[in-house]
Amino acid sequence: MSEVILSVRNLSVSYLARRGRVRAVSNVSFELHAGETLAFIGESGCGKSTLNLALIRTLPKTGQIDSGTMIYTRRDGQQIDVLKLNKQEHRRWLWSECSMVFQGALNSLNPVIRISDMIYDTAAAHGIPREDARKQALDLLEKVRLDPQRVFNSYPHELSGGMRQRVLLAISLLLRPQIVIMDEPTTAVDILTQRSILDVLKELRRELNFSVLFISHDLAVAAEIADRIATMYAGEIVEIGPVEEIFYRPRHAYTLALLDAAPRLSAGAEELHSIPGSPPDLIMPPPGCKFHERCAFAVASCHTTPPPLRPTHDAACHLVACTESERVLAAQRKIMRQ
Ligand code: SF4
């Protein structure tokens, strides 16, 4: 595998709520390699978006990073801990080394400013001359299959949802960052636009060789775009591995349940499955494995001992050795129907 450009270790993030601190992300560790796409999957509220907001240090006021390191390797080999950068250094790091495409493009684009002015503002903040920014932006707008001249001079409301999402993708690449974080970039668009955005993203990745942290609750999209998948549950990464391994040989009972809950085109309504119960209270999380209250395979140790992530294809599950997907899925379905 290619060199590691981002190494996150024991990252924990919490939000202050009336009842106490919500442990939204707990001791998360992972590595991102040059040129790879790592997708985070999991139910709403599992911590995927919080994790990525923490990576770019843009948590809401009630959120805080409690612990962890985030070592980023620049192109020249210099390593920095992003969490230790001061405000100005961090501002420079954003966009030039790591950018983010948020879901819902209309919320990310200023409705009263032309696309060109947003591009000039971003470039000016990083000392890029106006003319260079213009050339670069027109080139990128063409690469994302838009009419560059028209879109460059447009206001966001003059563009469709899919066009705005592609504009965001172009702006995120303006300063040629090594990492682009994408938070559900295809959620708010129709299926054909989604197809075209994914194709554009794959092409750009091949051409510009950046790495992507991709957040999605859509397993089909994640399967198509990712090299590796990380399953998150209750603020923790419970399984991480190559995309084929996760989808064809999942080892964690939660990943199995997620895959089983994904609707299939060929399935009838009676074959739709859900995961029983709801995610745990993250102010007072349960002891042991956080999934044990919903897991069809929980054994005594699951109630008391948190399972550690194991090497290679990692899964934090006490039963990892015996999870042969088909057998386990069949058993899980049977239990869920009871
Ligand atoms: Fe289920 Fe136990 Fe594995 Fe948790 S550790 S997923 S409760 S079998």
Side-chain angles (χ1 to χ4, degrees):
M1 205 176 269
S2 53
E3 69 191 285
V4 172
I5 55 166
L6 182 71
S7 173
V8 175
R9 288 279 157 259
N10 303 317
L11 186 69
S12 293
V13 183
S14 62
Y15 292 106
L16 188 60
R18 279 202 195 132
R19 286 196 303 121
R21 284 225 153 259
V22 181
R23 313 272 164 213
V25 171
S26 299
N27 280 319
V28 161
S29 299
F30 67 89
E31 288 171 341
L32 179 69
H33 298 258
E36 85 162 336
T37 296
L38 172 60
F40 291 89
I41 59 170
E43 288 165 289
S44 296
C46 70
K48 345 182 259 298
S49 294
T50 294
L51 170 63
N52 285 288
L53 287 177
L55 295 181
I56 54 165
R57 289 173 40 185
T58 47
L59 288 164
K61 274 188 184 147
T62 51
Q64 71 174 40
I65 295 172
D66 298 317
S67 62
T69 57
M70 191 179 137
I71 306 300
Y72 172 75
T73 307
R74 291 182 194 273
R75 287 190 176 91
D76 61 9
Q78 189 199 350
Q79 293 196 322
I80 50 169
D81 185 346
V82 178
L83 299 182
K84 289 193 178 144
L85 295 178
N86 65 33
K87 228 174 173 179
Q88 228 178 6
E89 291 168 334
H90 185 250
R91 256 178 79 102
R92 277 201 298 270
W93 183 78
L94 281 181
W95 295 100
S96 60
E97 305 284 348
C98 175
S99 62
M100 181 142 185
V101 177
F102 291 93
Q103 64 174 292
L106 199 53
N107 300 333
S108 307
L109 296 170
N110 189 329
V112 294
I113 295 181
R114 287 181 199 273
I115 303 298
S116 54
D117 291 326
M118 278 181 251
I119 287 168
Y120 289 142
D121 282 355
T122 308
H126 290 267
I128 310 278
R130 222 173 140 86
E131 191 45 33
D132 289 358
R134 198 182 77 87
K135 275 193 202 143
Q136 178 80 334
L138 291 177
D139 180 43
L140 282 166
L141 288 172
E142 195 167 2
K143 281 189 167 67
V144 297
R145 301 183 194 162
L146 292 170
D147 174 351
Q149 293 296 345
R150 190 201 135 201
V151 171
F152 190 67
N153 294 309
S154 298
Y155 287 98
H157 69 266
E158 294 174 306
L159 308 172
S160 70
M163 290 166 88
R164 288 194 291 260
Q165 205 64 44
R166 275 181 273 173
V167 166
L168 276 187
L169 181 55
I171 295 178
S172 75
L173 295 170
L174 189 67
L175 304 184
R176 293 288 192 265
Q178 282 202 95
I179 301 173
V180 180
I181 300 175
M182 301 192 162
D183 189 355
E184 312 254 16
T186 57
T187 300
V189 294
D190 63 77
I191 190 98
L192 291 176
T193 311
Q194 176 177 310
R195 169 80 274 140
S196 127
I197 290 174
L198 291 179
D199 287 346
V200 164
L201 178 57
K202 282 197 251 177
E203 260 177 48
L204 285 172
R205 246 194 67 194
R206 265 197 301 274
E207 194 179 332
L208 306 176
N209 197 35
F210 52 91
S211 306
V212 179
L213 290 173
F214 195 89
I215 304 168
S216 184
H217 64 266
D218 187 329
L219 301 187
V221 169
E224 176 162 354
I225 205 80
D227 300 305
R228 284 191 305 143
I229 301 275
T231 309
M232 287 195 74
Y233 183 74
E236 296 173 350
I237 291 181
V238 293
E239 182 164 11
I240 184 165
V243 63
E244 296 82 9
E245 286 284 315
I246 297 286
F247 279 91
Y248 292 114
R249 285 173 292 282
R251 292 184 177 183
H252 193 280
Y254 177 64
T255 311
L256 285 170
L258 261 188
L259 293 177
D260 203 33
R264 290 169 188 81
L265 273 179
S266 56
E270 71 286 352
E271 288 177 70
L272 292 175
H273 306 291
S274 63
I275 305 176
S278 20
D281 178 359
L282 293 182
I283 293 178
M284 285 201 297
C289 171
K290 287 180 181 165
F291 188 56
H292 79 251
E293 286 162 352
R294 307 172 75 188
C295 181
F297 310 102
V299 291
S301 56
C302 304
H303 295 248
T304 53
T305 316
L309 270 180
R310 290 164 169 79
T312 54
H313 169 172
D314 300 337
C317 177
H318 289 307
L319 293 186
V320 72
C322 67
T323 47
E324 300 152 39
S325 15
E326 280 312 310
R327 186 177 62 75
V328 173
L329 270 176
Q332 186 141 5
R333 276 184 201 131
K334 202 171 150 197
I335 292 166
M336 282 172 189
R337 280 182 206 137
Q338 283 168 359

